[in-house]
Amino acid sequence: MLVVPGRPTSDGLTWWVLSEDSGAPHVELVGPDGEDAGVVIRPLSLPQDGPVAKRCFLVSTTALRSDSVYRLDASRNGVLASASSRTLPASLPVGQSFTVALGSCYSIANDPGLTASYPPKLHDPNGRDPIRLRFLGGDQLYMDLTASSGSPIIVGAPDPWEKYLAQWERLQFSTFLRASPNLVLGDDHEFWNDYPHKSAWLTWSESERGGPVGRAMDRAFSLFQVGLNLEPGAVQAPPGGNLGALLGGVGRTFSLDVGPLSFFVLDVRTARTRYDAGQPHFTAVPWLSAARAWIQGLRGPGVLVLSQPLVEERAGAFARTFHTMGDVNLPDYDDDFAALWEALFAAPHDVVVLTGDIHWSRAYRIRRAGASNRTVWEVVSSSLARIPGPASGIGEATGKVEWRTGRGNWTRDYATNAASTYTTLSFTPQSGGVNVVARAFQVSSERGVGASLLSRSSIGLT
């Protein structure tokens, strides 16, 4: 049994449950007025799914108090599992901090002690866990690497259901999952390196999205991860009576508000085409349109969550041709890349981009060349546990990012290439804007030591 807290709202909570078998678990909600809550249990699987899928359920709890802690107890065949979560405040008054965590790229074979270092011991006058949301920005597992050594699986496609089950049931990872409410994005390693492009090293990888291996991995990703993103109310009344349409749509790209903050999660991986397709896109056309509309309609500072950085360069010609090293990046999709940057610099308020993928962590501030009216911030957190190999370089202190219709200049606030890191961002509304403190933490391999603070940056959003 495993209970993982998913998406919170101000009056509801979503929970993901791995049952002991294909039978629905018995659940009990413990908390203020928990006995009066609306509780619905829904299977994530369809009749044609296999035995592992049939163990996956979502629990929706509604009619809850805002800004309150609840615990869900789930049991099946005498086995009990629990997790706690906390509803969101309806809005944030001036001076009240709201802290989120950010992480990506977790190789279970190389975890030095994440569960003992998360969450950080930040000061909270009420003694409560300060993390209100956690964004897992992709590569939560490495489908194409062995769990024991982190080496590539060169021959024979892995069984995605067994890969998920083995990692989600490992104590070192399940404890981490249970520690905070999770919102997730998928990236290439939920499939294979540089998905949907074929890898030169993996004989089983496919050459574009839509093949049988990719479809199987996408289905497993949906049931083990995407369900965490669904709103409690949507879980209770899904279209067509099952969760399928939600798992392929609003579970992957969606917005969430905690006024004056607004968050938007944009999937730039699972609907991606090849970069050299006739009409290349790094996301679904309606999803990019929704992101641009969200940016244009901001009534306060925005937080855009992606699985790859916007401050990036196009992949080199050799890598683009043979897929032997590196990845195809967002700038390789000229139209989508330009559209997103243009929207950000035309936004009515500042936006901070949260992302991962690159195996080093940083905070950049970006201004459009020749303009001074808007700042875009980008905070990268990677990796939670780095795959084997040399540390990435952290580059220069300043630089530029270019797109088809413009150019931006960036300045580094901090950068670190520690092997195991995560980041917290504390948003505090102030008169006329929101102050953000970003902190990068290093996971310690020493038992009981906990995380150490690597870097700190103060960001002002208007």
Side-chain angles (χ1 to χ4, degrees):
M1 291 288 296
L2 176 61
V3 178
V4 179
R7 182 170 174 174
T9 64
S10 61
D11 61 356
L13 297 167
T14 294
W15 316 76
W16 182 89
V17 179
L18 182 68
S19 185
E20 281 297 287
D21 56 25
S22 60
H26 171 77
V27 299
E28 181 179 355
L29 187 68
V30 180
D33 301 327
E35 65 279 3
D36 297 324
V39 179
V40 172
I41 306 171
R42 290 202 176 274
L44 279 158
S45 63
L46 295 172
Q48 61 268 33
D49 288 323
V52 175
K54 288 182 167 58
R55 295 176 57 187
C56 300
F57 293 83
L58 282 187
V59 177
S60 165
T61 53
T62 56
L64 308 181
R65 291 188 191 179
S66 65
D67 204 11
S68 298
V69 177
Y70 291 84
R71 187 185 79 237
L72 188 77
D73 297 334
S75 60
R76 178 74 181 172
N77 297 336
V79 180
L80 174 69
S82 300
S84 294
S85 190
R86 185 174 168 190
T87 52
L88 298 176
S91 61
L92 297 173
V94 170
Q96 179 175 319
S97 182
F98 184 86
T99 300
V100 306
L102 175 67
S104 67
C105 307
Y106 177 81
S107 170
I108 196 166
N110 305 101
D111 183 352
L114 182 60
T115 55
S117 299
Y118 180 92
K121 295 177 174 61
L122 297 177
H123 175 68
D124 186 311
N126 298 311
R128 295 184 292 190
D129 178 2
I131 305 300
R132 305 304 304 271
L133 288 173
R134 177 170 59 197
F135 294 99
L136 297 178
D139 297 342
Q140 276 70 260
L141 87 168
Y142 281 76
M143 187 68 69
D144 49 355
L145 304 183
T146 63
S148 58
S149 66
S151 58
I153 302 172
I154 297 173
V155 178
D159 182 328
W161 302 102
E162 294 302 326
K163 286 280 287 188
Y164 271 103
L165 185 64
Q167 180 165 314
W168 260 238
E169 289 191 322
R170 286 267 292 264
L171 184 62
Q172 68 194 93
F173 190 67
S174 62
T175 302
F176 172 69
L177 281 180
R178 292 172 56 248
S180 294
N182 299 280
L183 297 175
V184 301
L185 281 164
D187 204 32
D188 56 339
H189 289 284
E190 268 83 8
F191 302 84
W192 58 82
N193 189 58
D194 206 17
Y195 173 84
H197 305 88
K198 185 172 180 60
S199 168
W201 306 116
L202 307 175
T203 61
W204 49 269
S205 62
E206 297 166 337
S207 60
E208 58 185 308
R209 184 166 56 93
V213 174
R215 289 199 306 270
M217 292 176 176
D218 189 83
R219 182 66 180 152
F221 167 65
S222 288
L223 268 63
F224 272 81
Q225 295 201 59
V226 177
L228 291 163
N229 296 336
L230 298 184
E231 278 191 310
V235 174
Q236 295 205 355
N242 67 68
L243 301 171
L246 301 178
L247 295 174
V250 295
R252 305 193 184 208
T253 290
F254 57 92
S255 62
L256 179 153
D257 292 338
V258 186
L261 292 172
S262 184
F263 297 85
F264 194 94
V265 174
L266 175 62
D267 182 322
V268 295
R269 178 64 68 174
T270 70
R272 180 181 296 197
T273 69
R274 289 178 57 92
Y275 80 93
D276 54 0
Q279 294 182 312
H281 294 286
F282 60 56
T283 188
V285 172
W287 295 352
L288 181 58
S289 297
R292 294 171 66 191
W294 169 80
I295 293 169
Q296 294 163 6
L298 284 172
R299 298 182 179 180
V303 183
L304 176 64
V305 190
L306 308 171
S307 61
Q308 279 191 301
L310 278 171
V311 179
E312 188 54 278
E313 298 178 353
R314 293 162 68 93
F318 190 84
R320 284 164 64 102
T321 303
F322 297 104
H323 300 290
T324 56
M325 61 189 74
D327 292 331
V328 170
N329 299 311
L330 299 186
D332 290 282
Y333 296 83
D334 292 307
D335 291 343
D336 288 2
F337 191 63
L340 197 49
W341 271 116
E342 292 294 343
L344 288 168
F345 278 113
H349 293 275
D350 290 333
V351 176
V352 57
V353 178
L354 307 185
T355 184
D357 180 58
I358 58 176
H359 293 192
W360 55 288
S361 299
R362 70 191 192 202
Y364 285 176
R365 62 183 82 193
I366 308 104
R367 305 298 294 270
R368 184 165 191 155
S372 59
N373 63 331
R374 183 62 60 218
T375 300
V376 176
W377 295 80
E378 184 172 75
V379 177
V380 177
S381 187
S382 177
S383 54
L384 289 166
R386 193 168 63 210
I387 61 175
S392 300
I394 60 173
E396 303 297 327
T398 61
K400 64 181 180 179
V401 57
E402 297 178 299
W403 56 97
R404 178 174 285 165
T405 53
R407 177 168 63 88
N409 298 317
W410 55 260
T411 303
R412 186 177 72 200
D413 262 35
Y414 68 74
T416 173
N417 59 2
S420 185
T421 63
Y422 61 86
T423 300
T424 64
L425 298 99
S426 296
F427 297 83
T428 306
Q430 306 289 349
S431 178
V434 174
N435 184 62
V436 189
V437 177
R439 300 176 176 91
F441 290 90
Q442 181 171 9
V443 173
S444 174
S445 59
E446 298 181 38
R447 182 173 296 178
V449 172
S452 57
L453 182 64
L454 287 171
S455 305
R456 182 183 185 278
S457 178
S458 184
I459 300 169
L461 304 178
T462 58

